[in-house]
Amino acid sequence: MSSGGKEAQAVELARFFFDLVRRESCGECLPCALGTRQVGVALEGKGAEGTLLREIGRAMKQSSKCGVGRIGGALVLELLERYPAIFKAGA
Amino acid sequence: MAKLTVTIDGQAVEVEEGTSILKAAALVGVRIPTLCYLENINEVGACRICVVEVEGKEDFVTACNTPVEDGMVVRTNTPALRAARRTTLELILSDHPMECLTCVRNGNCELQALAAQLNVRAVRVSGATHADLPRDDSTSGIVRDPRKCIVCHRCISVCADVQTVGAIELQGQGFDAFVGPPANLKLAETRCVQCGQCALVCPTAAIVEKDDTDKVWTALLDPTKHVVVQTAPATRVTIGDMFGLPPGTPVVGKMVAALRRLGFDAVFDTDFAADLTIMEEGSELIERLTKGGVLPQFTSCSPGWIKFIEHFYPEFLPHVSTCKSPQQMFGAVAKTYYAQRQGIDPESIFVVSVMPCTAKKFEAERPEMNAASRYWNNPRIARDVDVVLTSRELGRMLKQAGIDFPNLPDEEYDEPLGLSTGAAAIFGATGGVMEAALRTAYELVTGKTLEQIDFHAVRGLDGIKEAVVPMNGINVKVMVGHGLRNARQIMEKLKAGELKDYHFIEIMCCPGGCIGGGGQPIPTDTAVRQKRIDGIYRVDAAMPYRKSHENPQIKKLYEEFLEKPLSHKSHALLHTHYTPRN
Ligand code: SF4
Ligand code: SF4
Ligand code: SF4
Ligand code: SF4
């Protein structure tokens, strides 16, 4: 399989996980509620990239109230590390 | 309690077990930034701005609600923390309408202040907002603008825990979560009592008082109107807050001068009507005591409390005094007695109130509050009180008019509705109505002079206070509650039959009484409330008359017009009825 295929799979998986995090996000704490939404936008290729997205991921991971936001944040950081291209427009 | 030692930014400090990191840090001069935190009321850790690093923990913890542990090493100002706080705040701002220049909280907004404190110079995030959430101006007292809501939970906590009303909650989930009444109801369709305590604690302009200042500017310009103003007891120690004076500073003379400069035709005092309330309510109590009426009698001057009992305990409405609040008594007297005495057409009189309170706006709009119209049999006299301004709105008008409030000379109220007593002034604080009533009832019942007129047992910020006062062989038992949580507790006791031997109970809807009302200057917290209470008792102590029945203008009002307390005319103008809302 080409790396493009792998990346497509990753994007799909990332979207799937993010949908999960988004559905689980209760709205009680702000980095999670607002951060997941922004990552969602980024995954559509319309939002934050690079440094800013990394900061959002970090804030979610380190500041969120519970595991939902923390795992969501960790996922963003992991994806940025491995497949930064998936957050870019047209990915 | 055990003492623990923690190190905060390199400084060791010893604190009691259970102390939060936030409070421990304050002891060593470190003010960790916060946003949603409200001491003792909202310690939910929603905003995550107060995050700190704790040695040995991978993720950050919130300083506001994490208790210190012995030997804990805390860092509050690292690059990672600064970045996290700023990113969180940028996320918040990305979903916030940047309307500061036209916003009523401009210059007194905690979100604005935090953005300045965290040195935010750009909002890099964009893309998703709640900008389409509709404004809710369905109530008379407060307006909600959910676009400006940052979901800090303060209003939810205040409404549910301090007031036990629960009109607004977190709706929805995740990013779509917002704060409002359930099932997309308008606030006016809920049991909201319009106390405005939510507006008082909201860090932004997402809940504010309804602005009626334009109506007052228009009336002041209208040459056909005789515009009079009345000032509530509690406002005399709070207006100064908005002009940089220390909380609790008595400013009654300056307030009178300022109102005159705004152009009111007469500057009167709700305190006059508070004295009148004592005459009527005290007489009602004596009548209930001697004629076997429903006891205990409850006070009726707080419209938030009245709406609360109408919603939650309507079966006990016969316990509530039939006396109108001082604001409404004033309106009725101004458009009847005053009009007649001065030879002014009652139709042309326009009554403005300056109140600590958003619920007073609701009260003035209650359909039954048109006694003058009924008295003159003139449907063109619409309301007894035409416009209610909160303290905050008056502050805005004074600023707009360029009035240099702190440097104004002290001026006196106008005659005849401007003379009042110390007993009326203390109406502004929890326990004050009770104390004023006791000062008068004692002398009316016993015919003796009351030597010790300070009733310390009913003063102060304890939630529920009690006293027993012997009068002619009866031990009069009284109780005082403020804040609706305490009111509810008292109502549950009444329901359980535990208050059978009590005679008189004072309830004020807002914590601390009207000095802590929902229309008062922001911030209003416990420390500020205490200072205002101290201020109001200082005002009382300095008054030439301190008992309502000694007010010479009140005596005159009865002689010239009302005849006597509970007279036919008094009943028509000064008493009212209630509406069960279950
Ligand atoms: S609520 Fe505060 S931050 Fe928001 S527009 Fe008003 S002043 Fe600005
Ligand atoms: S005005 Fe009072 S009752 Fe109404 S929502 Fe606000 S806090 Fe609750
Ligand atoms: S309305 Fe105000 S107090 Fe309530 S959650 Fe929103 S920002 Fe906080
Ligand atoms: S306690 Fe005072 S400020 Fe609060 S609702 Fe009652 S009258 Fe208004």
Side-chain angles (χ1 to χ4, degrees):
Chain A
M1 206 187 270
S2 76
S3 81
K6 227 176 169 180
E7 214 154 288
Q9 268 183 344
V11 175
E12 207 170 302
L13 211 61
R15 286 221 175 90
F16 172 77
F17 271 119
F18 246 91
D19 232 40
L20 214 65
V21 171
R22 230 162 103 176
R23 274 202 307 262
E24 287 302 316
S25 174
C26 65
E28 296 268 346
C29 91
L30 299 181
C32 173
L34 298 168
T36 38
R37 182 74 183 90
Q38 286 303 334
V39 175
V41 176
L43 280 171
E44 287 158 16
K46 294 181 207 147
E49 295 178 32
T51 318
L52 177 57
L53 196 56
R54 192 164 292 115
E55 280 181 34
I56 294 175
R58 280 210 194 109
M60 285 174 64
K61 178 184 177 296
Q62 292 186 289
S63 301
S64 290
K65 200 169 183 171
C66 81
V68 174
R70 293 185 177 203
I71 288 171
L75 186 64
V76 178
L77 296 178
E78 186 74 19
L79 286 169
L80 271 169
E81 190 68 27
R82 291 176 188 238
Y83 309 105
I86 70 172
F87 293 106
K88 295 222 165 81
Chain B
M1 226 184 252
K3 289 273 189 185
L4 309 175
T5 305
V6 276
T7 307
I8 294 169
D9 294 339
Q11 300 185 74
V13 60
E14 204 174 71
V15 294
E16 306 231 305
E17 195 178 344
T19 307
S20 67
I21 295 176
L22 186 71
K23 285 186 179 161
L27 293 175
V28 294
V30 174
R31 289 177 53 174
I32 299 167
T34 59
L35 183 56
C36 67
Y37 173 75
L38 198 61
E39 191 178 4
N40 295 331
I41 294 172
N42 197 50
E43 304 187 349
V44 297
C47 72
R48 321 304 287 178
I49 291 294
C50 70
V51 285
V52 295
E53 288 178 15
V54 171
E55 223 169 76
K57 289 198 187 350
E58 194 193 328
D59 292 324
F60 303 150
V61 302
T62 37
C64 72
N65 60 0
T66 307
V68 295
E69 287 163 27
D70 200 32
M72 208 181 224
V73 177
V74 179
R75 269 178 291 272
T76 74
N77 181 28
T78 65
L81 287 170
R82 286 197 299 272
R85 286 178 191 145
R86 190 140 80 173
T87 306
T88 301
L89 186 56
E90 278 187 62
L91 283 167
I92 296 170
L93 294 176
S94 76
D95 184 19
H96 191 83
M98 304 287 201
E99 295 169 0
C100 295
L101 285 178
T102 51
C103 180
V104 68
R105 292 293 296 271
N106 188 7
N108 186 12
C109 168
E110 292 178 53
L111 186 59
Q112 239 181 11
L114 186 68
Q117 190 187 347
L118 298 191
N119 204 18
V120 173
R121 290 293 164 259
V123 178
R124 294 164 296 168
V125 190
S126 65
T129 69
H130 287 88
D132 51 350
L133 287 176
R135 208 172 117 94
D136 180 356
D137 57 3
S138 60
T139 71
S140 321
I142 58 176
V143 178
R144 293 177 48 250
D145 184 351
R147 299 174 313 136
K148 291 182 182 167
C149 173
I150 58 168
V151 199
C152 72
H153 293 240
R154 283 185 184 179
C155 57
I156 302 176
S157 299
V158 161
C159 193
D161 303 337
V162 178
Q163 300 297 56
T164 65
V165 172
I168 38 181
E169 294 158 4
L170 189 69
Q171 311 294 339
Q173 232 194 321
F175 178 79
D176 296 323
F178 65 95
V179 175
N184 282 322
L185 289 175
K186 295 266 186 210
L187 199 54
E189 297 159 348
T190 71
R191 296 191 282 190
C192 165
V193 301
Q194 303 192 27
C195 65
Q197 287 300 311
C198 49
L200 208 52
V201 299
C202 181
T204 72
I207 310 184
V208 300
E209 66 285 354
K210 184 170 268 181
D211 188 306
D212 288 313
T213 56
D214 277 345
K215 291 184 196 159
V216 177
W217 288 125
T218 307
L220 286 171
L221 276 178
D222 185 341
T224 68
K225 286 209 161 69
H226 180 77
V227 189
V228 306
V229 63
Q230 57 163 327
T231 60
T235 56
R236 65 209 62 224
V237 292
T238 64
I239 300 295
D241 286 28
M242 293 173 287
F243 298 89
L245 296 173
T249 307
V251 291
V252 63
K254 292 182 196 307
M255 179 164 66
V256 172
L259 290 165
R260 216 164 260 141
R261 278 159 179 70
L262 282 183
F264 286 100
D265 296 302
V267 181
F268 291 140
D269 203 353
T270 312
D271 282 24
F272 170 83
D275 283 328
L276 185 58
T277 304
I278 288 300
M279 298 306 292
E280 294 292 326
E281 196 160 343
S283 305
E284 182 186 354
L285 178 64
I286 293 166
E287 192 174 88
R288 287 188 191 221
L289 281 166
T290 51
K291 295 197 180 149
V294 179
L295 289 170
Q297 174 176 307
F298 281 74
T299 58
S300 57
C301 41
S302 167
W305 147 244
I306 293 300
K307 192 158 186 280
F308 179 82
I309 185 172
E310 286 176 336
H311 279 296
F312 293 94
Y313 297 95
E315 67 275 28
F316 294 111
L317 281 170
H319 283 268
V320 179
S321 162
T322 58
C323 287
K324 287 180 182 171
S325 73
Q327 148 165 292
Q328 293 304 141
M329 284 199 184
F330 180 94
V333 168
K335 292 191 179 185
T336 57
Y337 168 71
Y338 172 71
Q340 197 168 309
R341 195 184 123 130
Q342 308 297 117
I344 302 172
D345 175 3
E347 234 183 282
S348 73
I349 297 181
F350 192 88
V351 176
V352 175
S353 310
V354 178
M355 292 285 139
C357 179
T358 48
K360 288 278 174 198
K361 291 181 186 262
F362 168 77
E363 181 184 61
E365 287 180 12
R366 292 178 69 116
E368 64 273 22
M369 294 301 173
N370 61 345
S373 166
R374 280 176 275 128
Y375 179 84
W376 296 110
N377 196 15
N378 179 351
R380 285 188 306 277
I381 304 171
R383 312 268 75 217
D384 293 336
V385 171
D386 295 278
V387 177
V388 178
L389 295 175
T390 57
S391 305
R392 294 196 289 273
E393 289 163 275
L394 177 64
R396 290 205 290 275
M397 288 184 74
L398 297 180
K399 285 184 183 167
Q400 205 180 341
I403 289 171
D404 179 12
F405 190 82
N407 293 312
L408 286 178
D410 287 344
E411 291 182 11
E412 300 280 335
Y413 284 104
D414 289 310
E415 298 273 332
L417 310 181
L419 190 68
S420 70
T421 69
I426 59 176
F427 261 61
T430 167
V433 176
M434 181 56 71
E435 183 165 343
L438 288 174
R439 289 180 190 175
T440 287
Y442 182 90
E443 298 202 349
L444 295 188
V445 170
T446 65
K448 286 188 255 172
T449 305
L450 182 64
E451 299 300 342
Q452 181 41 267
I453 71 166
D454 293 342
F455 289 87
H456 289 283
V458 297
R459 296 183 180 182
L461 284 171
D462 287 346
I464 296 178
K465 298 163 280 185
E466 296 193 41
V468 181
V469 183
M471 290 184 201
N472 268 8
I474 311 178
N475 275 335
V476 174
K477 279 185 88 173
V478 305
M479 190 181 260
V480 171
H482 59 111
L484 294 175
R485 162 168 295 277
N486 295 312
R488 187 181 284 281
Q489 241 179 60
I490 291 172
M491 292 317 288
E492 287 303 318
K493 283 194 179 142
L494 181 69
K495 212 176 196 171
E498 290 166 27
L499 302 181
K500 289 209 168 77
D501 55 340
Y502 284 76
H503 301 98
F504 196 26
I505 299 183
E506 176 206 289
I507 306 277
M508 293 191 195
C509 165
C510 296
C514 309
I515 51 90
Q520 292 284 32
I522 295 169
T524 293
D525 57 20
T526 307
V528 168
R529 284 182 163 99
Q530 186 57 55
K531 286 187 187 136
R532 293 175 181 163
I533 289 174
D534 298 343
I536 226 144
Y537 288 109
R538 282 207 303 279
V539 171
D540 168 35
M543 294 293 278
Y545 302 104
R546 296 184 63 196
K547 299 165 189 162
S548 296
H549 57 288
E550 292 179 348
N551 180 336
Q553 283 293 1
I554 293 287
K555 291 184 194 165
K556 237 188 190 165
L557 171 65
Y558 280 111
E559 276 161 27
E560 292 176 5
F561 187 65
L562 293 171
E563 294 156 31
K564 59 177 197 310
L566 310 182
S567 70
H568 183 69
K569 225 182 231 173
S570 295
H571 266 293
L573 296 175
L574 311 180
H575 291 255
T576 188
H577 57 271
Y578 303 107
T579 313
R581 298 176 196 268
N582 42 338

